[in-house]
Coordinates of all heavy atoms in Angstrom, one line a residue:
M7 N 0.8 -1.2 0.0 CA 0.0 0.0 0.0 C 0.9 1.3 0.0 O 1.9 1.3 0.7 CB -0.9 0.0 1.2 CG -2.1 1.0 1.1 SD -3.3 0.7 2.4 CE -4.4 2.0 2.0
I8 N 0.5 2.2 -0.8 CA 1.3 3.4 -0.9 C 0.5 4.6 -0.2 O -0.6 4.8 -0.4 CB 1.6 3.9 -2.4 CG1 2.3 2.7 -3.1 CG2 2.4 5.1 -2.4 CD1 2.1 2.8 -4.6
F9 N 1.3 5.3 0.7 CA 0.7 6.4 1.3 C 1.2 7.7 0.7 O 2.4 7.8 0.5 CB 1.1 6.4 2.8 CG 0.4 5.3 3.6 CD1 1.0 4.2 3.9 CD2 -1.0 5.5 4.0 CE1 0.4 3.2 4.6 CE2 -1.6 4.5 4.7 CZ -0.9 3.3 5.0
I10 N 0.4 8.6 0.5 CA 0.8 9.9 -0.1 C 0.6 11.0 1.0 O -0.5 11.3 1.3 CB 0.1 10.3 -1.4 CG1 0.2 9.2 -2.4 CG2 0.6 11.6 -1.9 CD1 -0.8 9.2 -3.6
F11 N 1.8 11.5 1.4 CA 1.8 12.6 2.4 C 2.0 13.9 1.8 O 2.8 14.0 0.8 CB 2.8 12.3 3.5 CG 2.5 11.2 4.4 CD1 3.1 10.0 4.2 CD2 1.5 11.3 5.4 CE1 2.8 8.9 5.0 CE2 1.2 10.2 6.2 CZ 1.9 9.0 6.0
G12 N 1.5 14.9 2.3 CA 1.8 16.3 1.8 C 1.4 17.3 2.8 O 1.1 17.0 4.0
A13 N 1.5 18.6 2.4 CA 1.1 19.7 3.2 C 0.4 20.7 2.3 O 0.8 20.9 1.2 CB 2.3 20.3 3.9
N14 N -0.7 21.3 2.8 CA -1.3 22.4 2.1 C -1.8 23.5 3.0 O -2.1 23.3 4.1 CB -2.4 21.8 1.2 CG -3.5 21.1 1.9 OD1 -3.2 20.1 2.6 ND2 -4.7 21.5 1.8
D15 N -1.8 24.7 2.4 CA -2.2 25.8 3.2 C -3.7 26.1 3.0 O -4.2 25.9 1.9 CB -1.5 27.1 2.7 CG 0.0 27.0 3.1 OD1 0.2 26.4 4.2 OD2 0.8 27.6 2.4
K16 N -4.4 26.5 4.0 CA -5.8 26.6 4.0 C -6.2 27.9 4.8 O -5.6 28.1 5.9 CB -6.5 25.4 4.7 CG -7.7 24.9 3.9 CD -8.0 23.5 4.2 CE -8.6 23.3 5.6 NZ -9.2 21.9 5.6
V17 N -7.1 28.7 4.3 CA -7.6 29.8 5.1 C -8.7 29.3 6.0 O -9.7 28.7 5.6 CB -8.2 30.9 4.1 CG1 -8.8 32.0 5.0 CG2 -7.1 31.5 3.2
V18 N -8.4 29.4 7.3 CA -9.4 28.9 8.3 C -10.5 29.9 8.6 O -11.6 29.6 8.7 CB -8.6 28.6 9.6 CG1 -9.6 28.0 10.6 CG2 -7.5 27.6 9.3
E19 N -10.1 31.2 8.7 CA -11.0 32.2 9.0 C -10.6 33.5 8.4 O -9.4 33.8 8.3 CB -10.9 32.4 10.6 CG -12.2 32.5 11.3 CD -12.0 32.5 12.8 OE1 -11.2 33.4 13.3 OE2 -12.5 31.6 13.4
K20 N -11.5 34.3 7.8 CA -11.2 35.5 7.2 C -12.3 36.5 7.5 O -13.5 36.2 7.4 CB -11.1 35.2 5.7 CG -10.5 36.4 4.9 CD -10.3 35.9 3.5 CE -9.7 37.0 2.7 NZ -9.3 36.5 1.3
Q21 N -11.9 37.7 7.8 CA -12.9 38.7 8.2 C -12.4 40.1 7.9 O -11.2 40.4 8.2 CB -13.1 38.5 9.7 CG -13.7 39.6 10.5 CD -13.8 39.2 12.0 OE1 -13.8 38.0 12.4 NE2 -13.9 40.2 12.8
Q22 N -13.3 40.9 7.4 CA -12.9 42.3 7.1 C -13.2 43.1 8.3 O -14.2 43.0 8.9 CB -13.7 42.7 5.9 CG -13.2 44.1 5.3 CD -13.3 44.1 3.8 OE1 -14.1 43.5 3.2 NE2 -12.4 45.0 3.2
Q23 N -12.2 43.9 8.6 CA -12.3 44.8 9.8 C -13.2 46.0 9.6 O -13.3 46.5 8.4 CB -10.9 45.2 10.3 CG -10.1 44.1 10.9 CD -10.7 43.5 12.1 OE1 -11.4 42.5 12.0 NE2 -10.5 44.1 13.3
Y24 N -13.8 46.5 10.6 CA -14.7 47.7 10.5 C -13.8 49.0 10.5 O -14.1 50.0 9.9 CB -15.7 47.8 11.6 CG -16.7 46.6 11.5 CD1 -16.7 45.6 12.5 CD2 -17.6 46.5 10.5 CE1 -17.6 44.5 12.4 CE2 -18.5 45.4 10.4 CZ -18.5 44.4 11.4 OH -19.3 43.4 11.3
A25 N -12.8 48.9 11.3 CA -11.9 50.0 11.4 C -11.0 50.1 10.2 O -10.5 49.2 9.7 CB -11.0 49.8 12.7
Q26 N -10.8 51.4 9.8 CA -10.0 51.6 8.6 C -8.5 51.8 9.0 O -8.2 52.2 10.1 CB -10.5 52.8 7.8 CG -11.8 52.6 7.2 CD -12.1 53.5 6.0 OE1 -11.7 54.6 6.0 NE2 -12.7 52.9 5.0
E27 N -7.7 51.3 8.1 CA -6.3 51.3 8.4 C -5.6 51.9 7.2 O -6.0 51.7 6.1 CB -5.9 49.8 8.6 CG -4.6 49.5 9.3 CD -4.7 49.6 10.8 OE1 -5.6 49.0 11.4 OE2 -3.9 50.3 11.4
H28 N -4.5 52.7 7.4 CA -3.8 53.3 6.3 C -2.6 52.4 6.0 O -1.9 52.0 6.8 CB -3.3 54.7 6.6 CG -2.7 55.4 5.5 ND1 -3.4 55.8 4.4 CD2 -1.4 55.6 5.2 CE1 -2.5 56.3 3.5 NE2 -1.3 56.2 3.9
C29 N -2.4 52.1 4.7 CA -1.3 51.3 4.2 C -0.3 52.2 3.7 O -0.5 53.0 2.8 CB -1.8 50.3 3.2 SG -0.5 49.3 2.5
Y30 N 0.9 52.1 4.2 CA 2.1 52.9 3.8 C 2.7 52.4 2.5 O 3.6 53.0 1.9 CB 3.0 53.2 4.9 CG 2.5 54.0 6.0 CD1 1.9 53.5 7.1 CD2 2.4 55.4 5.8 CE1 1.3 54.3 8.1 CE2 1.8 56.2 6.8 CZ 1.2 55.6 7.9 OH 0.7 56.4 8.9
N31 N 2.3 51.2 2.2 CA 2.9 50.5 1.0 C 2.3 51.0 -0.3 O 2.9 51.4 -1.2 CB 2.8 49.0 1.2 CG 3.6 48.3 0.2 OD1 4.8 48.5 0.0 ND2 3.0 47.4 -0.5
C32 N 0.9 51.0 -0.3 CA 0.2 51.4 -1.5 C -0.5 52.8 -1.3 O -1.1 53.2 -2.2 CB -0.7 50.3 -2.0 SG -2.1 50.0 -0.8
N33 N -0.4 53.3 -0.1 CA -0.9 54.6 0.2 C -2.5 54.7 0.1 O -3.0 55.7 -0.3 CB -0.3 55.7 -0.7 CG 0.4 56.8 0.1 OD1 0.0 57.0 1.3 ND2 1.3 57.4 -0.5
N34 N -3.1 53.6 0.5 CA -4.6 53.6 0.5 C -5.1 53.4 1.9 O -4.5 52.8 2.7 CB -5.1 52.4 -0.4 CG -5.0 52.7 -1.9 OD1 -5.6 53.7 -2.4 ND2 -4.2 52.0 -2.6
T35 N -6.3 53.9 2.1 CA -6.9 53.7 3.4 C -8.1 52.8 3.1 O -9.0 53.1 2.3 CB -7.4 55.0 4.1 OG1 -6.2 55.8 4.2 CG2 -8.0 54.8 5.4
S36 N -8.1 51.7 3.8 CA -9.2 50.7 3.5 C -9.4 49.8 4.7 O -8.7 49.9 5.7 CB -8.9 49.9 2.3 OG -7.7 49.2 2.4
N37 N -10.4 48.9 4.6 CA -10.7 48.0 5.7 C -9.8 46.8 5.5 O -10.0 46.0 4.6 CB -12.2 47.6 5.7 CG -13.1 48.7 5.9 OD1 -13.3 49.6 5.0 ND2 -13.6 48.9 7.1
W38 N -8.9 46.7 6.4 CA -7.9 45.5 6.3 C -8.6 44.2 6.6 O -9.6 44.1 7.3 CB -6.7 45.8 7.2 CG -5.8 46.8 6.7 CD1 -6.0 47.9 5.9 CD2 -4.3 46.9 6.9 NE1 -4.9 48.5 5.6 CE2 -3.8 48.0 6.2 CE3 -3.5 46.1 7.7 CZ2 -2.5 48.3 6.2 CZ3 -2.1 46.4 7.7 CH2 -1.7 47.6 7.0
I39 N -7.9 43.2 6.2 CA -8.4 41.8 6.4 C -7.7 41.1 7.5 O -6.4 41.2 7.6 CB -8.2 41.0 5.1 CG1 -8.7 41.7 3.8 CG2 -8.7 39.5 5.3 CD1 -10.1 41.6 3.6
L40 N -8.4 40.5 8.4 CA -7.9 39.7 9.5 C -8.0 38.3 9.1 O -9.1 37.8 8.8 CB -8.7 40.0 10.7 CG -8.1 39.6 12.1 CD1 -6.8 40.2 12.4 CD2 -9.1 39.9 13.2
E41 N -6.9 37.6 9.0 CA -7.0 36.2 8.5 C -6.2 35.2 9.3 O -5.1 35.5 9.8 CB -6.5 36.2 7.1 CG -6.6 34.9 6.3 CD -6.1 35.0 4.9 OE1 -6.6 35.7 4.1 OE2 -5.1 34.3 4.7
K42 N -6.8 34.1 9.5 CA -6.1 33.0 10.2 C -5.9 31.9 9.1 O -6.9 31.5 8.5 CB -7.0 32.4 11.3 CG -6.5 31.2 12.0 CD -7.5 30.8 13.0 CE -7.0 29.6 13.8 NZ -8.0 29.1 14.8
N43 N -4.7 31.5 8.9 CA -4.5 30.4 8.0 C -3.6 29.3 8.6 O -2.8 29.6 9.5 CB -4.1 30.8 6.6 CG -2.8 31.6 6.5 OD1 -1.8 31.1 7.1 ND2 -2.8 32.7 5.9
A44 N -3.7 28.2 8.1 CA -2.9 27.1 8.7 C -2.4 26.1 7.6 O -3.0 26.0 6.5 CB -3.8 26.3 9.6
T45 N -1.2 25.6 7.9 CA -0.7 24.6 7.0 C -1.1 23.2 7.6 O -0.8 22.9 8.8 CB 0.9 24.7 7.0 OG1 1.2 26.0 6.6 CG2 1.5 23.7 6.0
Y46 N -1.8 22.5 6.8 CA -2.2 21.2 7.2 C -1.4 20.0 6.6 O -1.0 20.1 5.5 CB -3.7 21.0 6.7 CG -4.7 21.6 7.6 CD1 -5.0 23.0 7.5 CD2 -5.4 20.8 8.5 CE1 -5.9 23.5 8.3 CE2 -6.4 21.4 9.4 CZ -6.6 22.8 9.3 OH -7.5 23.3 10.1
A47 N -1.2 19.0 7.4 CA -0.6 17.8 6.9 C -1.7 17.1 6.2 O -2.8 17.0 6.7 CB -0.1 17.0 8.1
S48 N -1.4 16.5 5.1 CA -2.4 15.8 4.4 C -2.0 14.4 4.0 O -0.9 14.1 3.8 CB -2.8 16.6 3.1 OG -1.8 16.7 2.2
L49 N -3.0 13.6 3.9 CA -2.8 12.2 3.6 C -3.8 11.9 2.4 O -5.0 12.2 2.6 CB -3.2 11.3 4.8 CG -3.0 9.8 4.7 CD1 -1.5 9.5 4.3 CD2 -3.3 9.2 6.0
F50 N -3.3 11.5 1.3 CA -4.1 11.3 0.1 C -4.9 12.6 -0.3 O -6.1 12.5 -0.6 CB -5.1 10.1 0.3 CG -4.4 8.8 0.5 CD1 -4.5 8.2 1.7 CD2 -3.6 8.3 -0.5 CE1 -3.8 6.9 1.9 CE2 -3.0 7.0 -0.3 CZ -3.1 6.4 0.9
F51 N -4.2 13.7 -0.1 CA -4.7 15.0 -0.5 C -5.9 15.5 0.4 O -6.6 16.4 0.1 CB -5.1 15.0 -1.9 CG -4.0 14.6 -2.8 CD1 -4.1 13.3 -3.5 CD2 -2.9 15.4 -3.0 CE1 -3.0 12.9 -4.3 CE2 -1.8 14.9 -3.8 CZ -1.9 13.7 -4.4
I52 N -6.1 14.8 1.5 CA -7.1 15.2 2.5 C -6.4 15.8 3.7 O -5.6 15.1 4.3 CB -8.1 14.0 2.9 CG1 -8.8 13.5 1.6 CG2 -9.1 14.5 3.9 CD1 -9.3 12.1 1.8
S53 N -6.8 17.0 4.1 CA -6.2 17.6 5.2 C -6.5 16.9 6.5 O -7.7 16.6 6.8 CB -6.7 19.1 5.4 OG -6.3 19.8 4.2
V54 N -5.5 16.5 7.3 CA -5.8 15.8 8.5 C -5.6 16.6 9.8 O -6.5 16.5 10.6 CB -5.1 14.4 8.6 CG1 -5.8 13.3 7.8 CG2 -3.6 14.5 8.0
F55 N -4.5 17.2 9.9 CA -4.3 18.1 11.1 C -3.4 19.3 10.8 O -2.6 19.1 9.9 CB -3.8 17.3 12.3 CG -2.5 16.6 12.1 CD1 -1.3 17.3 12.4 CD2 -2.4 15.3 11.6 CE1 -0.1 16.7 12.1 CE2 -1.2 14.7 11.3 CZ 0.0 15.4 11.6
P56 N -3.6 20.4 11.5 CA -2.8 21.5 11.2 C -1.4 21.4 11.9 O -1.2 20.9 13.0 CB -3.5 22.7 11.9 CG -4.4 22.0 12.9 CD -4.6 20.6 12.5
I57 N -0.3 21.8 11.1 CA 1.0 21.7 11.6 C 1.4 23.1 12.1 O 2.1 23.2 13.1 CB 2.0 21.4 10.4 CG1 1.6 20.2 9.6 CG2 3.4 21.1 11.0 CD1 2.4 20.0 8.3
K58 N 1.0 24.1 11.4 CA 1.4 25.5 11.7 C 0.2 26.4 11.5 O -0.5 26.3 10.5 CB 2.5 25.8 10.8 CG 3.4 26.9 11.4 CD 4.6 27.2 10.4 CE 4.9 28.6 10.4 NZ 5.8 28.9 9.3
T59 N 0.0 27.3 12.4 CA -1.1 28.3 12.3 C -0.5 29.7 12.2 O 0.4 30.0 13.0 CB -2.1 28.2 13.4 OG1 -2.5 26.8 13.6 CG2 -3.4 29.0 13.2
R60 N -1.0 30.5 11.3 CA -0.5 31.9 11.2 C -1.7 32.8 11.3 O -2.8 32.6 10.9 CB 0.2 32.1 9.9 CG 1.6 31.6 9.8 CD 2.1 31.8 8.4 NE 1.2 31.1 7.4 CZ 1.3 29.9 7.1 NH1 2.3 29.2 7.5 NH2 0.4 29.3 6.2
Y61 N -1.5 34.0 12.0 CA -2.5 35.0 12.1 C -1.9 36.2 11.4 O -0.9 36.7 11.8 CB -2.7 35.3 13.6 CG -3.1 34.1 14.4 CD1 -2.2 33.3 15.0 CD2 -4.5 33.7 14.4 CE1 -2.5 32.1 15.7 CE2 -4.8 32.5 15.1 CZ -3.9 31.8 15.7 OH -4.2 30.7 16.4
I62 N -2.6 36.7 10.4 CA -2.2 37.8 9.7 C -3.2 38.9 9.5 O -4.4 38.7 9.5 CB -1.6 37.5 8.3 CG1 -2.5 36.5 7.5 CG2 -0.2 36.8 8.4 CD1 -2.1 36.3 6.1
Y63 N -2.7 40.1 9.4 CA -3.6 41.3 9.3 C -3.0 42.1 8.1 O -1.8 42.5 8.2 CB -3.5 42.1 10.6 CG -4.4 43.3 10.7 CD1 -5.7 43.2 10.3 CD2 -3.9 44.5 11.1 CE1 -6.6 44.3 10.4 CE2 -4.8 45.6 11.2 CZ -6.1 45.5 10.9 OH -6.9 46.6 11.0
Y64 N -3.7 42.2 7.0 CA -3.2 42.8 5.8 C -4.1 43.7 5.0 O -5.3 43.7 5.1 CB -2.6 41.7 4.9 CG -3.6 40.7 4.4 CD1 -4.2 41.0 3.2 CD2 -3.9 39.6 5.1 CE1 -5.2 40.1 2.7 CE2 -4.9 38.7 4.6 CZ -5.5 39.0 3.4 OH -6.4 38.1 2.9
C65 N -3.4 44.5 4.2 CA -4.1 45.4 3.3 C -4.8 44.6 2.1 O -4.1 43.8 1.5 CB -3.1 46.4 2.8 SG -3.6 47.4 1.4
P66 N -6.1 44.8 1.9 CA -6.7 44.0 0.8 C -6.3 44.4 -0.6 O -6.5 43.7 -1.6 CB -8.2 44.3 1.0 CG -8.2 45.6 1.7 CD -7.0 45.7 2.5
I67 N -5.6 45.6 -0.7 CA -5.2 46.1 -2.0 C -3.9 45.5 -2.5 O -3.8 44.9 -3.5 CB -5.3 47.6 -2.1 CG1 -6.7 48.1 -1.8 CG2 -4.7 48.2 -3.4 CD1 -6.8 49.5 -1.2
C68 N -2.9 45.7 -1.6 CA -1.6 45.2 -2.0 C -1.1 44.0 -1.2 O 0.0 43.4 -1.4 CB -0.5 46.3 -1.9 SG -0.2 46.8 -0.2
R69 N -1.9 43.5 -0.2 CA -1.6 42.4 0.6 C -0.4 42.6 1.5 O 0.2 41.7 2.0 CB -1.5 41.1 -0.2 CG -2.8 40.7 -0.8 CD -2.7 39.3 -1.5 NE -2.5 38.2 -0.5 CZ -3.6 37.5 -0.1 NH1 -4.8 37.8 -0.5 NH2 -3.4 36.6 0.8
N70 N 0.0 43.9 1.7 CA 1.1 44.2 2.6 C 0.5 44.1 4.0 O -0.7 44.6 4.2 CB 1.6 45.6 2.3 CG 2.5 46.1 3.3 OD1 3.6 45.5 3.6 ND2 2.1 47.2 4.0
G71 N 1.2 43.6 5.0 CA 0.6 43.6 6.3 C 1.6 43.1 7.3 O 2.8 43.1 7.1
R72 N 1.1 42.6 8.4 CA 1.9 42.0 9.4 C 1.3 40.8 10.1 O 0.1 40.5 10.0 CB 2.2 43.1 10.5 CG 1.0 43.6 11.2 CD 1.3 44.8 12.0 NE 0.1 45.4 12.6 CZ -0.3 45.0 13.8 NH1 0.3 44.2 14.6 NH2 -1.5 45.6 14.3
Q73 N 2.2 40.0 10.7 CA 1.8 38.8 11.4 C 1.5 39.2 12.8 O 2.1 40.0 13.4 CB 3.0 37.9 11.3 CG 2.5 36.4 11.5 CD 3.5 35.4 10.8 OE1 4.3 35.8 10.0 NE2 3.3 34.2 11.1
L74 N 0.4 38.5 13.3 CA 0.0 38.8 14.7 C 0.2 37.6 15.6 O 0.3 36.4 15.1 CB -1.5 39.0 14.7 CG -2.1 40.2 13.8 CD1 -3.6 40.1 13.9 CD2 -1.6 41.5 14.3
E75 N 0.2 37.9 16.9 CA 0.3 36.8 17.9 C -1.1 36.3 18.0 O -2.1 37.1 17.7 CB 0.8 37.4 19.2 CG 2.2 37.9 19.2 CD 3.2 36.8 18.9 OE1 3.0 35.7 19.3 OE2 4.1 37.1 18.1
K76 N -1.3 35.1 18.5 CA -2.6 34.6 18.7 C -3.5 35.4 19.6 O -4.6 35.7 19.3 CB -2.5 33.2 19.3 CG -3.8 32.4 19.4 CD -3.5 31.0 19.9 CE -4.8 30.1 19.7 NZ -5.8 30.3 20.7
E77 N -2.9 35.9 20.7 CA -3.6 36.8 21.6 C -4.1 38.0 21.0 O -5.2 38.5 21.2 CB -2.8 37.1 22.9 CG -2.4 36.0 23.7 CD -1.3 35.1 23.1 OE1 -0.5 35.5 22.4 OE2 -1.4 33.8 23.4
E78 N -3.2 38.6 20.2 CA -3.6 39.8 19.5 C -4.7 39.6 18.5 O -5.6 40.4 18.4 CB -2.3 40.3 18.7 CG -2.1 41.8 18.6 CD -0.8 42.1 17.8 OE1 0.1 41.3 17.8 OE2 -0.8 43.2 17.4
Y79 N -4.7 38.5 17.8 CA -5.7 38.1 16.9 C -7.1 38.0 17.5 O -8.1 38.5 17.1 CB -5.3 36.8 16.1 CG -6.3 36.3 15.2 CD1 -6.4 36.8 13.9 CD2 -7.2 35.3 15.6 CE1 -7.3 36.2 13.0 CE2 -8.1 34.8 14.7 CZ -8.2 35.3 13.4 OH -9.1 34.7 12.6
E80 N -7.0 37.2 18.6 CA -8.3 37.0 19.4 C -8.9 38.3 19.9 O -10.1 38.4 19.9 CB -8.0 36.1 20.6 CG -7.4 34.7 20.3 CD -8.5 33.8 19.6 OE1 -9.7 34.1 19.8 OE2 -8.0 32.8 19.0
R81 N -8.1 39.3 20.2 CA -8.6 40.5 20.7 C -9.3 41.3 19.6 O -10.2 42.1 19.8 CB -7.4 41.3 21.3 CG -7.7 41.9 22.7 CD -6.6 42.7 23.2 NE -5.3 41.9 23.3 CZ -4.2 42.4 22.8 NH1 -4.1 43.6 22.3 NH2 -3.1 41.7 22.9
M82 N -8.7 41.2 18.4 CA -9.2 42.0 17.2 C -10.4 41.4 16.5 O -11.1 42.2 15.9 CB -8.1 42.1 16.2 CG -7.0 43.1 16.6 SD -5.6 43.0 15.6 CE -6.2 43.8 14.1
R83 N -10.7 40.2 16.7 CA -11.8 39.6 15.9 C -13.1 39.8 16.6 O -13.3 40.1 17.7 CB -11.6 38.1 15.6 CG -11.4 37.2 16.9 CD -10.9 35.9 16.4 NE -11.9 35.1 15.9 CZ -12.5 34.1 16.6 NH1 -12.0 33.8 17.8 NH2 -13.5 33.4 16.1
Ligands
ZN125 ZN1 -1.6 48.4 0.7

């Protein structure tokens, strides 16, 4: 029997913020995106469990942003 292991990225949660944020990269003021994404270990292309979770907050126009700590993310959502 052959097992196929892999890893794939998945957006777990995505939410647009009500507060506007100014982006110094593209010079636009817009509602930034708060996103949680995770890298899942997969078996036969089916995600089984998350290996790594990332919390990011970014500009929807140029996708410039920053990474957040879990606590920080929980407070913002
Ligand atoms: Zn931007």
Side-chain angles (χ1 to χ4, degrees):
M7 195 168 180
I8 304 160
F9 289 99
I10 304 164
F11 290 103
N14 56 302
D15 289 332
K16 224 160 69 165
V17 175
V18 181
E19 227 171 56
K20 192 173 182 172
Q21 159 183 341
Q22 190 143 26
Q23 291 299 94
Y24 297 111
Q26 293 205 320
E27 201 78 54
H28 183 75
C29 175
Y30 291 97
N31 190 52
C32 64
N33 241 334
N34 282 298
T35 301
S36 55
N37 296 79
W38 282 30
I39 310 278
L40 191 60
E41 187 182 294
K42 176 185 180 178
N43 64 47
T45 301
Y46 278 80
S48 64
L49 184 59
F50 296 113
F51 309 107
I52 299 159
S53 301
V54 276
F55 59 89
I57 313 168
K58 201 177 147 195
T59 310
R60 280 174 304 270
Y61 303 92
I62 47 170
Y63 185 47
Y64 64 91
C65 168
I67 299 155
C68 67
R69 293 186 72 92
N70 168 63
R72 60 192 175 93
Q73 202 153 346
L74 303 173
E75 292 300 318
K76 187 175 192 279
E77 293 72 35
E78 211 176 343
Y79 175 84
E80 297 292 338
R81 230 181 302 131
M82 284 168 76
R83 60 195 278 257

